[in-house]
Amino acid sequence: MSLPTKVRTIPGVVADRAHLVDRIFFGLGTIAAIWLAYALVQVNDRLTWWTVVALVVFWLVLAYLALPRLNRILATIYVPDYFIGRTRTSDGLLGDPLNLAVRGTAEQLATVMKRAGWTLADPVDLSSSAKIVAATLARRSYPEAPVSPLFLFGRAQDAAYQQEVDGNPGQRHHVRFWRTPDGWPLPGGHRVDWLGGGTYDRRVGLSLFTLQVTHKIDADIDVERDHVVETVRAAAPEAKVVPLVDFTTSYHSRNGGGDAIHTDGTLPILELAAVVPDPGAPDLRPVVSDRIPIQVVLPIATSLLAAVWFVITAATVPSGENGLAWTALGLAVANAALAIAVLRRSAIARRTLLVIAVVSVLLRATQFHVVDNGRLQALAHAAVSVLELIALSSSAASRWTRRR
């Protein structure tokens, strides 16, 4: 008897069985990351330079692996997943409020933003992320610096614009835009083509909820909202503004980085019907790069390195242990084949590597806690497996193997 393709998880919610498997691995990855952070603290019992290194690595694991995943699980349970005028972070936390709307085409929006002196941000990828870190540390100008993705309607912003302040990428005006679904009405029945969220980055600091390095925004988001509207009106007088008063109640809250925010609840709607698009206006481009995500590159690299190690092992075993050599060679071929299959968007290969990573973490964690000798080696191997598990169970890796 075949199993149904859909199963119910909670009353009124139907989930795909494949998504449930991914959620299980996501939870296992969260547990593994928390254990790794704990093991890094336990590995040193006296203050040395290696202790300092371990503490830095502990912060990296806690801030960029464990806490984001824990927040994602808790946010899935407690944060509403319907429209409330707020975006969500990649960790599932409530992000910046929506404080701007647009009626007009993508070409009209690109035209007025270019005329108003706004720069289209680069997509987020490894290269642009490294570039903004270097520019921030050196206080060097980077006008096209990427803007972190926030999510609305289940997807990242369709475009992000910014204005750098005094050539310092640590301080900038920026606004994100999302295209609304066809026929979708705002609360009250109003219809718009784009929703936007404008905030001002005042400095670089640590997120209150994840301890990650991030931009800290100014609390008065209405000032940034008015700045966007005023720059557009000054550059394109034919654009009209229709204020939607009391779109939300005025409130004080915090965004996904823990920054205080407050607003009067008014939503200005920019009417661009009279704007004639400029031929040279740059096309809107997604904020997230279409390149292979790092969450896929990392496990492929480690799997291929493991394959090389297995081949070396097979070549160096004594002649009387041919069985071990053939086993190592078989593992090498299997790892390489799975890595290549993930690169070719195979969901089965990704889940196979996830199972291997879970088993490896369990074995290495047992070795770390039970065996006195080789604890550091066991921890190093476990850390690699945890990183593979975290990467392959991420939403980016899941999307990569689902898109064909």
Side-chain angles (χ1 to χ4, degrees), residues 268-404:
I269 302 176
L270 282 170
E271 299 273 8
L272 306 182
V275 175
V276 178
D278 293 339
D283 295 333
L284 302 183
R285 57 176 179 262
V287 71
V288 180
S289 175
D290 288 333
R291 298 177 183 176
I292 302 175
I294 186 65
Q295 293 91 336
V296 173
V297 174
L298 174 65
I300 287 176
T302 55
S303 295
L304 292 177
L305 287 175
V308 173
W309 183 82
F310 284 135
V311 170
I312 295 174
T313 302
T316 55
V317 296
S319 57
E321 300 179 4
N322 291 331
L324 180 61
W326 282 108
T327 300
L329 190 58
L331 290 173
V333 173
N335 271 272
L338 288 171
I340 294 173
V342 172
L343 189 62
R344 296 173 63 85
R345 303 181 185 271
S346 170
I348 295 176
R350 181 177 71 90
R351 294 199 178 99
T352 303
L353 285 178
L354 280 169
V355 172
I356 294 173
V358 169
V359 173
S360 177
V361 171
L362 289 174
L363 293 176
R364 297 300 181 179
T366 302
Q367 181 183 355
F368 177 81
H369 290 288
V370 174
V371 181
D372 291 332
N373 295 328
R375 294 186 76 205
L376 286 176
Q377 183 180 8
L379 183 60
H381 283 290
V384 173
S385 298
V386 169
L387 290 177
E388 288 183 350
L389 179 56
I390 290 289
L392 288 170
S393 63
S394 67
S395 57
S398 177
R399 286 194 300 269
W400 173 260
T401 55
R402 286 176 184 272
R403 293 187 312 180
R404 290 186 175 276

